[in-house]
Amino acid sequence: DAGVIQSPRHEVTEMGQEVTLRCKPISGHNSLFWYRQTMMRGLELLIYFNNNVPIDDSGMPEDRFSAKMPNASFSTLKIQPSEPRDSAVYFCASNPEAGHQPQHFGDGTRLSIL
Amino acid sequence: GENVEQHPSTLSVQEGDSAVIKCTYSDSASNYFPWYKQELGKRPQLIIDIRSNVGEKKDQRIAVTLNKTAKHFSLHITETQPEDSAVYFCAASGAAGNKLTFGGGTRVLVKP
């Protein structure tokens, strides 16, 4: 299996621009998670989906952040408008929902907002 | 919600010595405890996990222990090698679905 696939790997953009991060979970995994990692705040869960439905979005920092999962093989995390404090590494992870299975992480998107 | 505390934040050991990282959690309903290793610039990768019906689990040089009464669990790495240098994260998942709460991480440096 190819694992969780994220794109782009790196993104540099100016503040105020819209940013879209993409994730393809492992085939057959019906739970998908978006995390943000910074030195100050560590690894934070932003939102997670079960069977394409958002279950817990309590970690989404502000209305500028939104996430969608239109089908079982694709999810996006969007920031609009972006701000310098959004600079971080964003990870996507997936697992089978049932029975507390390990989450498998993608390689992440390193986002820099200038 | 769940709160996971991890100690120490940094750990320096001599090659061949043991390393121990400790975590505590707040939700007594938590029943799944994975450990992840993250090398610089890479993604977190699962190294071992334990479920609440087990008190200890071992995989070669890595072991995890769980004390449900005290709500803490620990990672033990024996015979450390330079390639064990990384950041290690503990996590806990409770009855509230599939969600993991991560500890703050421990940066381990193994000195040759």
Side-chain angles (χ1 to χ4, degrees), chain B residues 32-72:
Chain B
Y32 175 62
F33 308 91
W35 287 87
Y36 285 82
K37 175 184 180 182
Q38 187 178 27
E39 297 177 357
L40 189 63
K42 301 286 183 66
R43 59 190 168 93
Q45 291 193 280
L46 181 80
I47 55 172
I48 195 167
D49 57 8
I50 191 168
R51 288 169 176 78
S52 61
N53 58 345
V54 175
E56 183 174 357
K57 184 176 178 181
K58 197 171 182 181
D59 182 2
Q60 299 182 357
R61 296 186 296 108
I62 292 172
V64 58
T65 59
L66 171 64
N67 183 328
K68 284 217 72 180
T69 303
K71 291 190 283 187
H72 66 69

Side-chain angles (χ1 to χ4, degrees), chain B:
Chain B
E2 174 71 279
N3 183 48
V4 177
E5 300 281 341
Q6 183 171 346
H7 300 280
S9 57
T10 59
L11 180 59
S12 182
V13 297
Q14 208 66 38
E15 182 178 359
D17 288 350
S18 294
V20 180
I21 303 169
K22 299 182 179 182
C23 290
T24 60
Y25 60 98
S26 60
D27 186 353
S28 57
S30 289
N31 52 17
Y32 175 62
F33 308 91
W35 287 87
Y36 285 82
K37 175 184 180 182
Q38 187 178 27
E39 297 177 357
L40 189 63
K42 301 286 183 66
R43 59 190 168 93
Q45 291 193 280
L46 181 80
I47 55 172
I48 195 167
D49 57 8
I50 191 168
R51 288 169 176 78
S52 61
N53 58 345
V54 175
E56 183 174 357
K57 184 176 178 181
K58 197 171 182 181
D59 182 2
Q60 299 182 357
R61 296 186 296 108
I62 292 172
V64 58
T65 59
L66 171 64
N67 183 328
K68 284 217 72 180
T69 303
K71 291 190 283 187
H72 66 69
F73 56 114
S74 301
L75 178 72
H76 304 252
I77 307 173
T78 58
E79 300 171 29
T80 54
Q81 301 168 5
E83 53 264 38
D84 295 328
S85 296
V87 178
Y88 292 80
F89 293 94
C90 64
S93 178
N98 206 4
K99 178 178 172 178
L100 281 179
T101 301
F102 282 85
T106 297
R107 186 173 300 277
V108 174
L109 175 62
V110 179
K111 294 181 285 187

Side-chain angles (χ1 to χ4, degrees), chain A residues 1 7-8 24-25 27 36 42 44 52 54 60 62-63 66 71 87 92 99 102 104-105 107 110-111:
Chain A
D1 199 315
S7 65
K24 177 179 167 55
S27 178
R36 179 172 67 178
E44 304 174 274
N52 313 338
M60 295 286 263
E62 310 171 22
D63 291 345
S66 62
N71 57 61
S87 298
C92 176
H104 299 264
F105 283 75
D107 288 330
R110 183 171 296 276
L111 177 63

